[in-house]
Amino acid sequence: MNLIPQGNNRDCTRVITLSPSAEPIIIGRASKTASKGLLAAPQNAWFDSPIMSREHGRISMTSTGVVQLQDLASTHGTWIRNKRLEADEYRDIHDGDRITFGSTVTSGPGMPKPTNFLVLLATNKVL
């Protein structure tokens, strides 16, 4: 699965390998402290985003090959196709879906923006 950044966070493309037998992948806010093991990298789902919760969501693949996203009661929410997931809700992800982690925060310095991605599930697509 490829998460292609949209908008102003174009430097955080991710390639995530999923299989029905693999553990779910946690999506969340990266840490700047290397010893925590939560540094953002192209092959993981940790992002340098102040708007995301540390454990914001979880991506998994069912035994039938369906990719699903679960919101882990994140502070600022998760959206698929512009529809918000409820806390702990699972929702199927399809090729071409748009996922948003977080919402714009209007208080405090910098007004952080949400992190938006285009989902590419097919392995033969050219990025």
Side-chain angles (χ1 to χ4, degrees):
M1 176 173 121
N2 295 292
L3 293 176
I4 310 301
Q6 306 293 291
N8 59 354
N9 33 332
R10 297 218 178 259
D11 61 342
C12 57
T13 296
R14 297 294 191 270
V15 178
I16 299 170
T17 303
L18 298 168
S19 74
S21 60
E23 290 292 318
I25 306 291
I26 299 295
I27 300 167
R29 185 180 69 250
S31 173
K32 295 184 187 324
T33 306
S35 63
K36 290 185 179 180
L38 302 173
L39 296 177
Q43 72 280 4
N44 69 28
W46 300 113
F47 297 95
D48 292 321
S49 172
I51 205 71
M52 292 178 74
S53 298
R54 176 73 73 210
E55 291 192 0
H56 197 98
R58 179 178 11 231
I59 293 180
S60 60
M61 182 180 282
T62 68
S63 61
T64 59
V66 175
V67 178
Q68 294 185 321
L69 175 63
Q70 177 189 20
D71 181 89
L72 296 176
S74 63
T75 302
H76 297 291
T78 303
W79 286 258
I80 300 176
R81 299 178 300 278
N82 294 320
K83 294 180 184 169
R84 187 172 183 162
L85 276 72
E86 297 296 324
D88 298 317
E89 175 186 359
Y90 285 90
R91 193 167 302 158
D92 294 353
I93 300 174
H94 305 284
D95 193 50
D97 277 352
R98 304 231 180 241
I99 297 176
T100 301
F101 298 107
S103 57
T104 300
V105 174
T106 57
S107 64
M111 292 188 2
K113 303 265 188 248
T115 305
N116 300 292
F117 294 95
L118 171 66
V119 174
L120 297 180
L121 296 179
T123 58
N124 60 351
K125 291 201 176 197
V126 176
L127 302 180

